[in-house]
Amino acid sequence: MARNLTSCLRATVAARKGWQEDSSMTPRARVAGADPTTPTDDEVEVVLRACRVLVAVTARSLAEASEVTDLLHIRALFVVSDQASTSLTELAEAVGIHLTRASRLCDRLVKAGLLHRADDPANRRQVVLRLTPAGREVVATVRRRRADAIAPILAGMSPESRDTLVQALEDFARAAGVVADSDLWALGWER
């Protein structure tokens, strides 16, 4: 499957960059006697190139969210959007900031009309955070822009390559194991 992942990711990068696949993109053969379970430097490089494409798509989708000018704001909105309600402590832990900084962050998002903060009826010492309709729209817009950017890249691939890519990426995600929520939310991805 590693060879298929490499081929699919190479094709994805090529399609995104408008490159024609040529011999310069073909990974070198594995050194004789090398461990076949260890990826080659070329295989790793192809995956890194594909990652750069996905990071660029993510960054572009975030940059176009004109309602929010700070990456930390986007991270907070995605954390809160992933649950029915979020406590201030959960938000602080998820985005990796101190509780007082999270409180100031929420103040700014409440003032911007993107977040609603209320006392937790079950625990008066906590607050409950929920997205406002405007906050939900920001998150939905970022997700939609990301999907809109990925779709034409996939459309530039043959159906067979897309099928292979999807399977290879599922294998890749499975091999990576569980990714911490804070890592996902860092750039506005969700579970």
Side-chain angles (χ1 to χ4, degrees), residues 60-178:
R60 207 170 302 122
S61 71
L62 297 175
E64 293 173 1
S66 60
E67 305 83 356
V68 181
T69 59
D70 187 322
L71 183 57
L72 190 57
H73 294 177
I74 287 283
R75 289 171 63 188
L77 293 175
F78 269 86
V79 167
V80 175
S81 76
D82 202 33
Q83 303 172 37
S85 65
T86 306
S87 74
L88 189 58
T89 301
E90 291 169 331
L91 175 63
E93 289 173 359
V95 297
I97 59 177
H98 192 273
L99 192 58
T100 56
R101 186 170 179 210
S103 182
R104 289 191 305 269
L105 169 65
C106 289
D107 290 342
R108 289 189 296 276
L109 292 172
V110 167
K111 186 176 180 180
L114 301 173
L115 192 66
H116 180 269
R117 178 182 10 204
D119 291 333
D120 185 343
N123 182 348
R124 291 175 168 238
R125 295 183 306 164
Q126 286 191 347
V127 295
V128 175
L129 307 170
R130 291 186 181 91
L131 294 182
T132 63
R136 283 192 296 279
E137 181 58 31
V138 168
V139 171
T141 298
V142 169
R143 287 179 178 148
R144 186 173 49 254
R145 286 180 180 150
R146 188 178 303 136
D148 290 348
I150 289 172
I153 297 169
L154 293 173
M157 299 172 65
S158 71
E160 297 80 18
S161 290
R162 281 196 309 267
D163 290 344
T164 304
L165 176 65
V166 167
Q167 180 60 51
L169 289 175
E170 286 176 352
D171 291 348
F172 183 82
R174 193 172 22 265
V178 177

Side-chain angles (χ1 to χ4, degrees), residues 5-6 8-14 16-17 19 43-57 153 165 169:
L5 175 63
T6 302
C8 287
L9 291 175
R10 190 177 326 106
T12 302
V13 172
R16 179 71 180 117
K17 298 287 188 179
W19 297 335
E43 290 168 334
V44 171
E45 181 56 34
V46 168
V47 173
L48 289 174
R49 281 188 274 175
C51 287
R52 283 191 288 273
V53 171
L54 293 173
V55 168
V57 165
I153 297 169
L165 176 65
L169 289 175

